[in-house]
Amino acid sequence: MTPILECRDLSKSYDKGMRPALNHVNLKLQRGRIIGLLGPNGSGKTTLIKLANGLLSTKSGELLIDGKPVGIETRRIVSYLPERTYLNMGLTVMETIRFFKDFYEDFDEARAYEMLKSLHIDPGAKLKTLSKGTKEKVQLILVMSRNAQLYILDEPIGGVDPAARDYILNTIITNYNENATVLLSTHLIADVESVLDEVIFLRYGEVALHAPVDAIREENGKSVDALFREVFKC
Amino acid sequence: MGWIFEQNRPIYTQLLEQIQMRIVCGVYAPGERLPSVRELAQEAAVNPNTMQKALAELERTSLIYTQRTAGRFVTEDAALIRDCRRRLAMEKIEDFMKAMQELGYSREEILALMQQDQEMEERNEEVRV
Amino acid sequence: MLRKLLKYDLKANYLCLLVCYAVYMALTIAFSLNMRGLIRQEMFGAADSAGMVPESVWMFTTISLTVLWGGAMIGLMILTFVLIIRRFYTNMVSDQGYLSLTLPVSTRQHMLSKLISGLLFELLTTAVLVAGFIVTGWIIDILPILSRFGDLFVYMWDEITDYYGIVYYLDVAVNAVRGLLMIYFSICVGQLFNKHKVWGAIGTYLGLVIVLELFMGILALIIGFSPSGSLVWLASLTGGSWGNLIFKVVQSGVYFFLGAWILEKKANLE
């Protein structure tokens, strides 16, 4: 089966003369996995994610999603949560749900409303009146309410309280279908470790490690979090 | 019984142990239908694939079995569960022995110490009565 | 998909514009009533001296309302333009671009939706401005005079279009389309810069204007037109206007497709 996401010798640099943000990355992500994309700030996590969504253009190498280069076809099957607020703040939560329903055929409106209810968010509220954490929750709800094949979540739990964090992780475990892959970047490794199949460590734009969580624990006798602290010790 | 994981060992191994424990203690009674992989994964807050793997391993040891449409069930074979219980007990004893030996006790000293502890317990009982 | 995009593009600005139209209309009416009062008093005097309004008050209200009304007119034109440009910028290449550019919609459809909505808003503002004049004429009761002006305008228009034919109609339409696409294209180019994306867009726009003027100037010189005045305008008024029109259409096409291609293949969002 074609990997859901594949990088072949992928490089990207912003300024000439500067260290590349991604340096000859080779990766294959299989279907039906929950994968953590880990690395310190500036290691290339967000760059990789933006390339996968066509928000940046590749310099050299290839990035394929479901065997196809990034484009309108791949956008249909990728559900993307950026690390920033990207919604039109003048709209209400309900209008935003309507927007997603208008544009994504795989959007499950009922699921979105159910999640709003669980997190006690008023669908009639204007986005700009919501707190930062609540805005993030709304965005995550929208993204997770799609029946996508690849979910790419950039820092999905960074700004929310621990209770909501549990709910979100729970949503990730239960919501995605068996053949979908979730790629999530975070620096809160300990919180997500038990829900991950695999982790990818990025360092200076290179893949330092790509292995199953349990294999890491077995080989090193320590958690991924502990290994991360060791590998990236300042 | 909550799900608690140690940081330094594979989650898969720990899931295996904890589900066995639940079966031995009767939390999941013999012949009882187990929750689905997804429900279990959600309850334990672990990756569904890992949970799936642990259940498959238990199935291999026949402690649980799958009925094609109805789901997974705990075995009704009491002997099998007894064996499992005994194996877990032996593992605990081994761990205990290892810890005691690290403290510098020999096997005989350990047994003597346990004897003493037992007598003390009995005396306390008598005083209370 | 285009219809859905259009729905949201129109929704984004219509409320703000409606409020501005209302303000403009209110000022138009205030200005007109003031003028009517002034004219009546000047021409016929008041029915009784108690109703006379002092000269200094007339002076004050007339001057301030004229300034306000004129300001509103210019403001409305600028605002329409700013709103159209802002919608493209925020929706396509700033934070909201993270959503727009990851929708399963082609960037050509995005461009088309922005173009159509922009043209609609321009048309609407023009209509409101014209309506303002008619209301003024009606209130001050100089509609017959205004309609004379209107007749004159129609006459001139007929003369011009009779002379130049359909090219002239097309030229007006193509100019509106090209004007917007040139701005959109500049924004697409501007986002290629890693820093100072807005300045990049402005620079691109000015660069384009200069290059085009130079090109047209040189072309006009070569063909032998008078180099005085705006050469582009001159060229569009003369016999070469079909060529000019085609050139503008080609330009618009380049802006449209190249802009969409940049967004699709060369996106560089911050």
Side-chain angles (χ1 to χ4, degrees), chain C residues 34-87:
Chain C
N34 179 75
M35 279 313 262
R36 184 165 77 168
L38 181 65
I39 290 166
R40 291 251 164 106
Q41 183 165 320
E42 291 297 313
M43 285 170 78
F44 313 113
D48 58 283
S49 60
M52 289 287 272
V53 179
E55 197 81 9
S56 58
V57 174
W58 278 123
M59 188 95 124
F60 174 74
T61 54
T62 307
I63 290 176
S64 49
L65 278 171
T66 309
V67 169
L68 275 176
W69 188 54
M73 219 182 303
I74 296 163
L76 199 55
M77 287 190 267
I78 293 174
L79 185 95
T80 307
F81 229 55
V82 167
L83 283 179
I84 293 169
I85 296 170
R86 194 189 67 166
R87 172 69 183 167

Side-chain angles (χ1 to χ4, degrees), chain A residues 193-194 212-226, chain B residues 4-18 20 46 50 88 91-92 95:
Chain A
E193 203 173 323
S194 62
V213 170
D214 272 353
I216 290 174
R217 287 182 168 218
E218 189 128 39
E219 274 168 38
N220 300 279
K222 58 178 66 123
S223 65
V224 173
D225 188 39
Chain B
I4 296 160
F5 300 101
E6 290 166 33
Q7 286 295 305
N8 49 6
R9 293 194 302 130
I11 293 156
Y12 159 74
T13 327
Q14 300 184 56
L15 277 178
L16 210 60
E17 290 166 1
Q18 294 190 33
Q20 276 177 348
V46 297
T50 315
L88 286 179
E91 278 169 17
K92 292 270 179 225
D95 288 347

Side-chain angles (χ1 to χ4, degrees), chain B residues 24 81-92:
Chain B
V24 166
I81 295 175
R82 214 163 39 234
D83 284 352
C84 180
R85 177 157 177 252
R86 194 172 161 75
R87 204 175 55 246
L88 286 179
M90 294 312 289
E91 278 169 17
K92 292 270 179 225

Side-chain angles (χ1 to χ4, degrees), chain C residues 153-188:
Chain C
F153 183 75
V154 169
Y155 173 75
M156 276 168 58
W157 179 261
D158 282 347
E159 285 295 299
I160 293 170
T161 50
D162 276 353
Y163 186 75
Y164 291 108
I166 192 161
V167 173
Y168 200 78
Y169 289 104
L170 292 176
D171 197 60
V172 172
V174 168
N175 271 334
V177 170
R178 190 193 68 135
L180 278 183
L181 284 176
M182 205 159 134
I183 294 168
Y184 292 166
F185 173 74
S186 301
I187 294 173
C188 294

Side-chain angles (χ1 to χ4, degrees), chain B residues 13-112:
Chain B
T13 327
Q14 300 184 56
L15 277 178
L16 210 60
E17 290 166 1
Q18 294 190 33
I19 299 167
Q20 276 177 348
M21 198 67 163
R22 277 155 203 250
I23 292 172
V24 166
C25 299
V27 175
Y28 301 138
E32 189 186 321
R33 187 177 171 278
L34 285 173
S36 70
V37 173
R38 205 162 273 235
E39 282 164 348
L40 278 171
Q42 188 183 352
E43 201 188 300
V46 297
N47 185 294
N49 294 324
T50 315
M51 182 59 84
Q52 168 77 35
K53 230 170 80 183
L55 291 175
E57 174 60 20
L58 287 174
E59 222 164 296
R60 211 182 54 76
T61 62
S62 307
L63 211 54
I64 60 176
Y65 65 95
T66 304
Q67 235 168 27
R68 200 162 292 193
T69 49
R72 286 193 175 78
F73 294 84
V74 177
T75 181
E76 280 150 36
D77 186 344
L80 212 60
I81 295 175
R82 214 163 39 234
D83 284 352
C84 180
R85 177 157 177 252
R86 194 172 161 75
R87 204 175 55 246
L88 286 179
M90 294 312 289
E91 278 169 17
K92 292 270 179 225
I93 290 172
E94 208 166 305
D95 288 347
F96 169 73
M97 285 298 185
K98 213 177 271 170
M100 291 302 279
Q101 274 156 9
E102 267 168 33
L103 283 174
Y105 288 96
S106 67
R107 266 193 110 72
E108 291 70 38
E109 282 173 320
I110 295 169
L111 288 174

